[in-house]
Amino acid sequence: MMEQIVEGMESEARRIKVLVMGPHAAGKTAILKQTIYGLQADKLRKLLPTILIDVPPETKKGKYLCRFFECGGQERFFEEYHRPENEKNIFNKVNIFIFVVDSANEDALPLAHKEFWRALTKLSKYSPNALTIIFAHKQDLPDTFSPGEVMDLLLSPPGSVYPTKLDFANLVEEAKKISKRTLCYGTSIEELGNKKNKANNPWIKSDEAIQITLQIYSKFIQEYSESSEKIKAEKDSSSHVLQEILGKLNKEVGAYGSMLIDKSSGLSAASTVDHEEITQSMMGIIILNSTKVLRELEEKVLNIVILRGEEHNVMLVNVTEDFSLLVILPLETDVQLGYAIYMVSETAKKIKEILQSTQTTTSKKDKK
């Protein structure tokens, strides 16, 4: 009977992946051994360094079944983590990212800064919704940076404080979004009352810090879920409005159909025509490639481009830097070409206003 109760409790617990990184000897292993096995500081003095990645048994903490992935902090190991063939396994499906820093080791801070941002760029790619926590660890030692100082140093943009040769150009903006919601607190494997550092900085015992992190995560995912649902509802509403606008344009100019196309991918953001039908015809392939031409020409294309085919004509116009409007017209139509061009141009303006409004709303929420 007792076994069934335990099994029932474990089935209700939510499994989460907790990725723990930081430079060599920052205290990652001690933190996890204290959290998982309840060991006190005197049992955690001499621990062997972690080689590459250690995954202890799943640990139940409250309503979560935690699978910790502890990554060894030697520089050569970091290079292994970021190899293309390894990075997805490490950074994919991360719920909580804990980055541990030895607050008393100033020499390790440049490496910590580089690897913290490198990890953020991979999280932005594979786990953009991960909660990020910095442990400014070993606060019990005499000379330490305060949690605030550690956080300021780590969150400084790449290259601003510590020089770096890494190219963050592609993902740094997404990584910055994660950095803005990053939290930091001072930690130690020691009880707060046992020792005091010179700066008198308070700290949280490591196992308690993990528990607090899980509580923060619960609140974080609840807020994120509510925010995501709201954004999704707004996007659905916006998409519905775009569909209506395209439908009205089709009636006005006698078009077979129209599409709002993402110029970078060639995929439709809104459409009154089947995307697969377009991609299956030679004319369709030409049409989608033409959107890339518009992207390259950008502001140079001030007027509508008209592509004349054997079966139908196609009008293309830039809407924004990222989107173009495509309208498929019959070869013969009662609507004059000048009127069709005017209507397509006016429709593009309306769509631009909607896209800019949606983008502004989303950006404000990201900043929050």
Side-chain angles (χ1 to χ4, degrees), residues 126-326:
Y126 295 108
S127 303
N129 304 326
L131 173 66
T132 305
I133 306 283
I134 298 169
F135 280 15
H137 198 49
K138 301 189 181 181
Q139 286 291 317
D140 59 286
L141 296 179
D143 296 302
T144 62
F145 286 91
S146 70
E149 289 171 328
V150 171
M151 186 171 184
D152 288 343
L153 286 168
L154 257 63
L155 292 184
S156 60
S160 62
V161 177
Y162 302 111
T164 178
K165 294 180 181 178
L166 295 175
D167 180 14
F168 291 96
N170 293 332
L171 293 170
V172 72
E173 289 306 317
E174 293 303 314
K176 282 180 179 177
K177 290 179 183 178
I178 300 178
S179 73
K180 286 177 182 177
R181 61 171 188 259
T182 297
L183 304 174
C184 176
Y185 30 82
T187 59
S188 170
I189 57 173
E190 298 281 356
E191 296 281 356
L192 181 57
N194 290 353
K195 293 184 178 181
K196 285 190 176 180
N197 55 30
K198 287 183 180 178
N200 228 10
N201 294 322
W203 65 78
I204 306 168
K205 194 158 165 272
S206 300
D207 54 351
E208 294 172 6
I210 295 286
Q211 199 62 47
I212 292 169
T213 298
L214 293 172
Q215 291 170 2
I216 293 170
Y217 177 71
S218 291
K219 187 176 180 183
F220 170 75
I221 57 171
Q222 181 182 353
E223 290 177 352
Y224 180 81
S225 176
E226 291 171 357
S227 174
S228 295
E229 287 176 8
K230 198 169 181 181
I231 291 172
K232 183 179 181 300
E234 288 175 356
K235 283 185 176 178
D236 288 346
S237 174
S238 162
S239 179
H240 180 69
V241 171
L242 290 173
Q243 289 287 125
E244 287 186 347
I245 289 174
L246 294 180
K248 287 179 182 177
L249 174 64
N250 294 342
K251 289 180 181 178
E252 281 288 333
V253 299
Y256 289 134
S258 49
M259 297 175 69
L260 181 65
I261 300 180
D262 184 330
K263 287 185 265 185
S264 62
S265 65
L267 298 175
S268 64
S271 177
T272 62
V273 63
D274 190 340
H275 188 274
E276 288 187 10
E277 285 183 15
I278 289 183
T279 56
Q280 287 170 2
S281 69
M282 181 57 70
M283 185 62 180
I285 293 170
I286 294 170
I287 288 168
L288 294 181
N289 284 331
S290 298
T291 63
K292 294 178 182 178
V293 172
L294 280 182
R295 187 185 182 207
E296 292 169 5
L297 293 174
E298 293 181 349
E299 297 300 322
K300 294 177 184 176
V301 179
L302 300 177
N303 300 313
I304 294 172
V305 175
I306 300 175
L307 303 175
R308 300 187 182 277
E310 293 182 359
E311 299 174 359
H312 42 245
N313 295 326
V314 176
M315 287 189 180
L316 281 166
V317 62
N318 271 326
V319 177
T320 67
E321 184 180 340
D322 300 313
F323 293 95
S324 59
L325 175 62
L326 174 153

Side-chain angles (χ1 to χ4, degrees), residues 18 35 46 49 69 74 109 113 224 230 266 276 306 312 320 347:
V18 183
T35 300
K46 295 181 180 179
F69 286 70
Q74 295 185 37
L109 288 174
H113 179 269
Y224 180 81
K230 198 169 181 181
E276 288 187 10
I306 300 175
H312 42 245
T320 67
T347 300

Side-chain angles (χ1 to χ4, degrees), residues 54-100:
D54 181 45
V55 184
E58 285 185 325
T59 306
K60 191 169 187 301
K61 293 287 177 183
K63 61 182 179 181
Y64 296 110
L65 201 56
C66 303
R67 174 58 62 90
F68 293 97
F69 286 70
E70 182 199 349
C71 299
Q74 295 185 37
E75 275 195 79
R76 59 194 174 95
F77 294 160
F78 281 113
E79 297 309 314
E80 290 297 321
Y81 306 148
H82 292 281
R83 289 186 185 278
E85 63 269 25
N86 297 332
E87 64 180 32
K88 185 174 181 180
N89 289 332
I90 295 169
F91 294 99
N92 195 36
K93 296 181 180 178
V94 174
N95 301 98
I96 300 173
F97 175 58
I98 298 175
F99 196 82
V100 183

